[in-house]
Structure formats: C-alpha cells, structure tokens
Amino acid sequence: MFKVPPIAADRLPGLLAAAPKAELHIHIEGSLEPDMIFALAQRNGVALPYASVHDLRRAYAFTSLQSFLDVYYAGASVLLHEQDFYDLAQAYLARAAMDNVARAEIFFDPQTHTARGVDLHTVVGGLHRACTDARQNLGVSASLILCFLRHLSEEDAFATLEQAMPLLDRIVGVGLDSSELGHPPEKFARVFARCRQLGLHVVAHAGEEGPPAYIWSALDVLKAERIDHGVQAVRDAALMQRLAQERIPLTVCPLSNQKLCVFPGLAAHNLPQLLEAGLAATVNSDDPAYFGGYINDNFTQTFAALPMLTAQHAWQLAFNSFEASFAPEADKRRWQQQLQACFERHADPA
Ligand code: ADE
Ligand code: ZN
C-alpha cells in the first residue's frame, strides 16, 4: 500500500478534486439535469407533469428510494431519439472530465425506454457514440452497463437480454437496479447465469435499503463482482468479514444515501466504518442531477462532514475505484500511478 505523505488538512479538498478517479456507479438517466429535461421535452413535444424547472425541483424532496424513482422515471420520458441519448451521455462525460474522472462505467435502464416504444438500438447507439467520442475528445475511458429493472419480472429481463444480443460488444456488463425491497437478487438467478455465460461482467444493487441477506444472494446467487451501495452490510459481521477478505468492491454513493434518507445526514454515514473494516469501498454519484452533486461533490462534502477521513482514506478510495473497474489492467495500473503522482505533488514541503 502506498504510504501517503503528510498533507495539510486545508489542502485536502483540492486534492480530492484533483485526484484521478473512476466512477463506477452512475445512472445516466440520473444525470438528466432539470434544464435538459425541459429542453428535451420541448424538442420532442413531450408533455411533463411539471410546469417549470422550479416546479420540478420542488419534487426533489425524497423520503425513500421509491419516492425518488417515481420522479426519475418521469424525467426519463423525454428521451426518445439517438441524439437525446448522445447529448445526455456527452454532458455527463464532459462534467465527469472536469472532476478528473479517468474511467466511467455507466449504468443505463433499457426497459425504461423500450416500454415507451424506444428501440434498444437507439438507446445504446447514442450512449455508445458518446463513450467513443469521450475517449477522443475528453480523455475519459467509458463503458456501458445494462441494468435490469428489479421491479419487473425475470421474463421481462430475458426479453431485454434478447434484444441486446446484437449489441453485446457495446456493453461491458449487466446490473440490477430500481425498487429493492421485495425484489431480492435471486429473482434474477437465471438471467444473470445466462449473462455470465455470455462473458458479461455482473454487478448488482444490494443493501441500499434492503437487508444484508440481499448482499449475500447478490454474491452467492448472481455472483456479483461488485455490490452497488452495500452500506447495510454493517448490520452483519460475517458479511463484513467476507466482503473484506474477498476484497469485493462496494460502490458507495454518500449524497444519494443522504437524499434518500438511508442515513440521517452525511455525518452519520458509515463510509469510515467500511474503510476501517478493510472493505474495498469507492465513492460515486449515483444520480447526480437529483442528489445535489457530481463525484467530486460526493468526495468533498463527505470528507467535510466526517473529519476522521484523511488523505490516506482519499487515496485508498481512488485506488479502489481503479482496482474495481472493468478496464484493461494496463490502463488501471497507469491511472494508479497517476494517482500516486498526484498525491506526491500535493505533499507538504519537506
Ligand atoms: N436507479 C437509479 N438510481 C437508483 C438507486 N439509487 N437505487 C436503485 N435503483 C436506481
Ligand atoms: Zn444506483
């Protein structure tokens, strides 16, 4: 492990912002900013249940995951054409580049769009073109992760996988998201087994609001390589031990957890506990347009609220993000070297 040199506390926010990092938990539909929702509604002639941006923003007072998802799916209804999906992903990737994101693994929810009659080729076409351009124009490496909606049936997930078959070279893996409680991972055992056979990486949301049992089954039944959120793991000592021993990455999203009332506030977040227990935690934005900040906001606000978090933790979180990514090994090692160089540049003068 790299021993981080002494760095004065007042330099930490600058370092958190400057550090190269990977974002592994970002729903592209959750980066749809209110201004873009209204611009696309107008461009596509879609009627919205909100009179203005101000009216829409007032709906962003969430009390739970479900209260958020209702607004999130309404917002996504303005996305119709390939160019809409391109514009959305391009805007996110440009914003991520400003936060020194070197690698982004982007979730998308195909069923949200195909249920409205949008072809999967349209969705993946626009998102993938933005990922390709980002490498060239922004220096950001980006890949797509197709998420199945867990409130729908496994049969529906299989139908989505069938539609995705000609597009599999454009996605790096599959995930599981949407309403967690009442929809345990094992509901999707067969479709995830098929995805693994197809050579896709596998991740799953588990332990956001749901119990530790959902994290166990995401690991044992779905064979998830990363757990998205996973913060409820602290309720189960044996699970914590397993996550630490196997270095299973958790993609933690502090501002999301705060907004969706998973914790009463950032000061009560268990990120320090996860790190102290030796878990491979990472910091991510989840749905930045809805939760009040992009990845660097997540880092800086969380570190400000939790003064026990140090520069060593900051380095560990960014290092973990590259370790946990599905990028080529050579890229991962290069970014980790850049990370170390960044920390050395920020060291206190000898
Ligand atoms: N879809 C978008 N954001 C989500 C979250 N935080 N949990 C589950 N599904 C989601
Ligand atoms: Zn999520």
Side-chain angles (χ1 to χ4, degrees), residues 153-175:
S153 67
E154 188 179 46
E155 191 186 355
D156 208 313
F158 264 117
T160 302
L161 179 60
E162 198 54 43
Q163 291 165 43
M165 288 304 283
L167 300 164
L168 290 189
D169 61 334
R170 294 170 176 215
I171 66 172
V172 72
V174 294

Side-chain angles (χ1 to χ4, degrees), residues 199-231:
L200 293 164
H201 285 290
V202 166
V203 299
H205 282 55
E208 178 182 13
E209 288 182 339
Y214 285 18
I215 303 177
W216 284 108
S217 60
L219 296 173
D220 291 334
V221 180
L222 303 187
K223 316 254 184 254
E225 296 164 72
R226 300 195 296 243
I227 297 295
D228 296 313
H229 293 293
V231 291

Side-chain angles (χ1 to χ4, degrees), residues 25 27 65 68-69 72-73 109 177-179 205 208 229 256 260 286-287 291:
H25 188 157
H27 301 263
L65 174 57
F68 154 68
L69 290 170
Y72 163 88
Y73 294 129
D109 288 340
D177 66 359
S178 193
S179 319
H205 282 55
E208 178 182 13
H229 293 293
S256 165
L260 302 187
D286 206 7
D287 301 283
F291 298 152

Side-chain angles (χ1 to χ4, degrees), residues 105-125:
E105 297 182 5
I106 300 175
F107 295 146
F108 68 107
D109 288 340
Q111 290 151 298
T112 306
H113 312 300
T114 53
R116 297 179 290 111
V118 179
D119 195 280
L120 190 55
H121 285 77
T122 303
V123 179
V124 175

Side-chain angles (χ1 to χ4, degrees), residues 271-293:
L271 181 64
Q273 195 182 341
L274 299 172
L275 289 169
E276 286 310 311
L279 271 62
T282 64
V283 165
N284 308 269
S285 69
D286 206 7
D287 301 283
Y290 292 92
F291 298 152

Side-chain angles (χ1 to χ4, degrees), residues 7 33 54 56 69 76 90 98 114 123 140 146 166 171 184 196 207 232-233 237 242 251 261 269 273 279 281 333:
I7 293 170
E33 292 285 349
H54 179 71
L56 173 61
L69 290 170
Q90 201 283 330
M98 287 169 53
T114 53
V123 179
V140 178
L146 181 158
I171 66 172
R196 292 198 312 274
Q232 302 299 336
R242 170 154 184 210
T251 62
C261 307
H269 201 284
Q273 195 182 341
L279 271 62
R333 298 289 93 82

